[in-house]
């Protein structure tokens, strides 16, 4: 019987809270994910649509879960 570490979990509902003004810029820049212009910024100040960032976050969580399943650690 093997003990597995707890899996990472996405935020509740898988949605990010980008209501704060720090996530908004008056200058539209290409989204880091899809390349289309956006006024939104992610938590690192990079241009990104909220929906694109949420999709990327969900993918990261899925990848992290896979890493736990396959290797037992994150790389
Ligand atoms: Zn986008």
């Amino acid at each position: 019987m093997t003990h597995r570490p707890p899996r990472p979990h996405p935020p509740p509902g898988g949605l990010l809270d980008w209501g704060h003004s720090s996530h908004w810029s008056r200058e539209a820049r290409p989204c880091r994910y899809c390349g289309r212009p956006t006024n939104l910024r992610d938590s690192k100040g990079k241009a990104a649509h909220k929906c694109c960032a949420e999709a990327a976050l969900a993918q990261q969580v899925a990848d992290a879960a896979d890493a736990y399943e396959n290797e037992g650690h994150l790389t």
Side-chain angles (χ1 to χ4, degrees):
M1 212 170 173
T2 56
H3 177 74
R4 286 181 180 172
R7 287 186 177 198
H9 292 286
L15 298 178
L16 299 168
D17 179 9
W18 282 15
H20 195 272
S21 62
S22 66
H23 283 294
W24 175 262
S25 171
R26 280 161 41 178
E27 181 189 3
R29 294 181 59 189
C31 171
R32 61 183 293 199
Y33 300 108
C34 73
R36 288 180 295 181
T38 178
N39 291 87
L40 289 171
R41 299 291 182 267
D42 68 11
S43 56
K44 293 185 174 63
K46 302 276 180 61
H49 294 109
K50 184 169 177 286
C51 57
C52 289
E54 286 165 354
L57 183 66
Q59 185 60 54
Q60 282 177 17
V61 171
D63 288 348
D66 283 347
Y68 272 110
E69 293 275 314
N70 297 331
E71 302 173 35
H73 63 86
L74 292 170
T75 53

